[in-house]
Amino acid sequence: MPTVDPRLASADVDVLRVSDLIHWGEPRVDLVGEPVGLDRTVRWGLPTDLLDPSPYLRGGELVLTSGISMRDAASQRAFVTSVRRTRPAAIGYALGVVESTVPTALVAAANAAGLAVLSVPPDVPFLEITRRIAHEQQRHDAEELARESVGAIFDMVRRGHASSIVLREPLEAAVGEVPGVWVLAARGRVLRPGGRSLVGTTGGHSIAIVPATQPGPPPGDLLGGDVGWSGPVEPGALAGALREAVAAASLASRHGAPRGPKDLATWDGLIERLTPEQLAPFRDRLLAPVVDYDARHRTDLVETLERLCHHDGSVQSTAQELFVHVNTVRKRVGRIESLTGLSPLETRGRAAFLVALAARG
């Protein structure tokens, strides 16, 4: 069973970005030129005096230079050209070695390439900057590992492979003893609800458990445009809440708006909760023969099927929309039924075809 320090799992340490360096205070670095590229991630620092350090760059570096190899505007522009190909985080220029100010040609070329330029005061060694970056990166790595450890437990509870009781200790350490909690989930990004929370990442989802402060949905400041939510539930009922929040998050990511338990009691909510294994027979046994027939005979059975489902099985409405005779639609329905054994004119058959069409992705 994975274990985790809940203090790390609930920490709010973000990835290091160029904008963070400017606000360090110590060691001091200052922005020169335009405020471009400030959201770029800084992975490490690389001091170099090579005119072309690109063979040693892997992306995300704060490229630190004293300017020794850049004696004129042409060489300064050549330096920027060489590093920009590797997508660095920014360029840092040491003052007082060659120039007392950052060369304007270097700044102009870097800004045009979307790179921020930072000046490094004469009394700040590059070593201090690289050490600080390494320290911040270690903090981020520790947080990411903690989130993954918590996420592994979330996943086991969600899938029924472990009881909610395994979350009691880390949950109490992170949010305290509370009568109810909300579960929040989002796809493709890390949730940072702030305050008391237990955050984990698993299967492309970020999941946060936070104290429930009201009986209804969470307040708006916890619900971004793509957040799914559950509950509120008692801490001992987290298995269902985790499943609910993850399913709601998938809906939220598609619609760009928060989604909760009531949204799962819809057609979209039902489809979202069906697993790929559950959807496969509808796609492979119902839709695939129709698609294959269309491909071989250049017919329009799939389009007819879609229109029939859209119009609740109305042959007349489908014919009008497709600009064909009603008998043509009926003939196509007969072909679909011969291929699949189901008729889209019947309610049960139409429901199965709706699932099949949704399973196409």
Side-chain angles (χ1 to χ4, degrees), residues 83 148 223 269 318:
V83 302
E148 290 176 354
L223 297 178
T318 299

Side-chain angles (χ1 to χ4, degrees), residues 164-242:
S164 297
I165 198 170
V166 301
L167 284 169
R168 178 185 297 172
E169 184 176 345
L171 186 60
E172 288 183 357
V175 307
E177 293 188 21
V178 293
V181 295
W182 288 304
V183 180
L184 313 176
R187 294 179 67 176
R189 67 181 182 88
V190 177
L191 284 173
R192 301 185 180 282
R196 295 179 296 162
S197 61
L198 183 65
V199 181
T201 55
T202 176
H205 286 88
S206 176
I207 300 173
I209 302 178
V210 300
T213 57
Q214 61 192 45
D221 59 347
L222 292 177
L223 297 178
D226 58 352
V227 173
W229 56 275
S230 77
V233 298
E234 297 179 355
L238 280 170
L242 286 165

